[in-house]
């Protein structure tokens, strides 16, 4: 596949300082035209699907892909375009909105933990437990007034969010040790591009349903969200469960980078079809002889 791409440009290294202000929202086009883009992403789908089938057959490891972004960055379309070629039997997707009353009666990781992918499958989280250190940090009243936490927990709100980041890092390490690899993507859209996409949603009747009144209100907290993302990526990015900060101003570029990252991470998992014991192979050959003798 002819794609000049260094994923280290987007993968946040563990232990090194990360500044979101220095992360690019746009890079040079990785494709020459639409036909070239379709050819590239189609090939990625084939290779990802091949590895997913080996993952399913091996049944020893699973993969969770987490997508986080500011509004209008393109999470839905990226998930659709990157994963559309993968056998649906091996993929589970979940989108997380505002917590339900039942979910609020549990710890902040509960609603996502109970739908973690099993070994052999790829799980996709469209937003995730990271909302608890993003939206809740920008709007701490969610924690203090809605989440029904004990007073000793909410007494020091800064410590609460630091503790949540530690809990997330520990949870992801625990998942990895138990065979579920977690790879996280922050689709990094610029404020200018977000404005263009919001206006397009307003001006295009077929896109009106995507726009919510609160979108513009949340845009007013842009700097606060950027700071929250920066802290979350710094605190939870590890070699085993990495963050990719993907330029999102060009959607086609974004999808190619995400596809390449997913493929690269799966390749490190050493996925292969299980090797049968000699006794079972002998049974297969005996069955073959019976079939051929019919």
């Amino acid at each position: 596949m002819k794609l000049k791409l260094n994923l280290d440009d987007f993968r946040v290294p563990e232990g090194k300082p990360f500044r979101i202000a220095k992360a690019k929202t746009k890079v040079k086009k990785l494709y020459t035209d639409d036909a070239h883009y379709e050819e590239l992403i189609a090939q990625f789908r084939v290779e990802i699907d091949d590895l997913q089938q080996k993952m399913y057959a091996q049944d020893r490891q699973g993969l969770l892909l987490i997508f986080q972004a500011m509004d209008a960055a393109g999470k839905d379309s990226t998930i659709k375009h990157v994963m559309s070629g993968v056998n649906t039997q091996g993929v589970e997707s979940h989108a997380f909105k505002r917590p339900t009353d039942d979910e609020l009666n549990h710890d902040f990781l509960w609603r996502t933990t109970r739908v973690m992918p099993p070994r052999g499958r790829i799980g996709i989280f469209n937003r995730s437990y990271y909302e608890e250190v993003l939206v809740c940090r920008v709007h701490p009243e969610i924690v203090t007034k809605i989440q029904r936490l004990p007073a000793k927990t909410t007494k020091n709100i800064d410590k609460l969010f630091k503790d949540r980041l530690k809990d997330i890092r520990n949870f992801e390490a625990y998942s990895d040790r138990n065979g579920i690899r977690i790879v996280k993507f922050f689709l990094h859209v610029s404020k200018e591009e977000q404005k263009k996409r919001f206006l397009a949603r307003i001006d295009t009747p077929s896109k009106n349903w995507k726009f919510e009144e609160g979108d513009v209100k949340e845009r007013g907290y842009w700097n606060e969200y950027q700071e929250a993302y920066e802290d979350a990526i710094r605190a939870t990015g590890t070699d085993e469960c990495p963050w990719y900060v993907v330029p999102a101003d060009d959607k086609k570029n974004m999808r190619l980078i995400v596809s390449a990252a997913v493929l690269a991470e799966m390749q490190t998992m050493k996925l292969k079809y299980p090797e049968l014991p000699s006794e079972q192979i002998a049974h297969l050959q005996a069955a073959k002889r019976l079939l051929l003798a019919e």
Side-chain angles (χ1 to χ4, degrees), residues 115-163:
V115 291
M116 286 286 288
R119 297 183 186 92
R121 290 178 173 80
I122 298 174
I124 300 170
F125 283 1
N126 186 340
R127 299 191 187 278
S128 66
Y129 43 79
Y130 278 98
E131 296 296 288
E132 300 291 338
V133 293
L134 298 170
V135 176
C136 291
R137 176 174 162 176
V138 174
H139 300 287
E141 64 275 11
I142 296 174
V143 173
T144 57
K145 297 181 180 180
I146 298 176
Q147 292 196 343
R148 307 168 191 164
L149 294 171
K152 65 179 182 179
T153 303
T154 58
K155 180 173 61 176
N156 186 334
I157 200 72
D158 290 335
K159 182 178 184 301
L160 180 147
F161 289 118
K162 288 180 181 179
D163 287 342

Side-chain angles (χ1 to χ4, degrees), residues 1-232:
M1 180 179 296
K2 296 180 180 180
L3 182 61
K4 295 181 180 180
L5 182 63
N6 183 1
L7 288 172
D8 288 340
D9 292 339
F10 314 106
R11 197 180 200 268
V12 179
E14 181 177 2
K16 292 188 178 181
F18 166 70
R19 292 298 306 275
I20 203 167
K22 294 184 178 181
K24 296 179 180 179
T25 63
K26 192 171 185 178
V27 292
K28 185 178 179 180
K29 282 188 176 182
L30 300 170
Y31 55 96
T32 55
D33 52 30
D34 287 351
H36 184 217
Y37 161 76
E38 292 295 344
E39 177 186 350
L40 289 171
I41 201 158
Q43 184 58 39
F44 275 126
R45 290 170 184 156
V46 169
E47 294 185 49
I48 291 171
D49 181 58
D50 177 67
L51 288 176
Q52 193 284 320
Q53 290 185 49
K54 292 175 181 176
M55 179 189 292
Y56 188 84
Q58 190 182 59
D59 199 25
R60 290 292 182 274
Q61 300 178 83
L63 177 65
L64 173 63
L65 306 175
I66 292 178
F67 291 88
Q68 294 284 160
M70 298 293 287
D71 291 327
K75 295 188 306 301
D76 293 350
S77 64
T78 298
I79 293 169
K80 176 183 177 181
H81 283 261
V82 173
M83 304 304 296
S84 63
V86 181
N87 189 331
T88 55
Q89 186 180 14
V91 179
E92 300 177 357
S93 182
H94 301 274
F96 297 96
K97 305 293 185 182
R98 186 175 300 171
T100 65
D101 194 62
D102 185 40
E103 289 168 345
L104 289 171
N105 276 329
H106 294 81
D107 65 89
F108 81 93
L109 287 171
W110 180 79
R111 69 170 179 160
T112 48
T113 302
R114 66 195 187 104
V115 291
M116 286 286 288
R119 297 183 186 92
R121 290 178 173 80
I122 298 174
I124 300 170
F125 283 1
N126 186 340
R127 299 191 187 278
S128 66
Y129 43 79
Y130 278 98
E131 296 296 288
E132 300 291 338
V133 293
L134 298 170
V135 176
C136 291
R137 176 174 162 176
V138 174
H139 300 287
E141 64 275 11
I142 296 174
V143 173
T144 57
K145 297 181 180 180
I146 298 176
Q147 292 196 343
R148 307 168 191 164
L149 294 171
K152 65 179 182 179
T153 303
T154 58
K155 180 173 61 176
N156 186 334
I157 200 72
D158 290 335
K159 182 178 184 301
L160 180 147
F161 289 118
K162 288 180 181 179
D163 287 342
R164 283 188 172 183
L165 288 171
K166 290 178 184 177
D167 291 337
I168 288 172
R169 186 182 176 108
N170 289 336
F171 169 74
E172 291 180 346
Y174 167 81
S175 296
D176 184 68
R177 289 195 301 271
N178 284 276
I180 306 301
R181 185 92 185 263
I182 300 177
V183 180
K184 301 155 289 188
F185 295 95
F186 172 53
L187 308 183
H188 190 25
V189 68
S190 67
K191 194 172 184 180
E192 295 75 18
E193 181 63 23
Q194 187 197 56
K195 180 179 179 179
K196 291 179 184 178
R197 294 179 187 179
F198 278 169
L199 290 171
R201 289 180 178 184
I202 294 171
D203 294 336
T204 308
S206 62
K207 294 183 179 181
N208 286 170
W209 65 274
K210 291 185 177 182
F211 188 82
E212 296 182 10
E213 186 178 351
D215 291 345
V216 174
K217 181 180 178 182
E218 288 303 289
R219 180 176 163 84
Y221 296 96
W222 184 274
N223 292 336
E224 290 84 349
Y225 273 109
Q226 297 297 296
E227 183 179 352
Y229 268 111
E230 182 176 277
D231 287 348

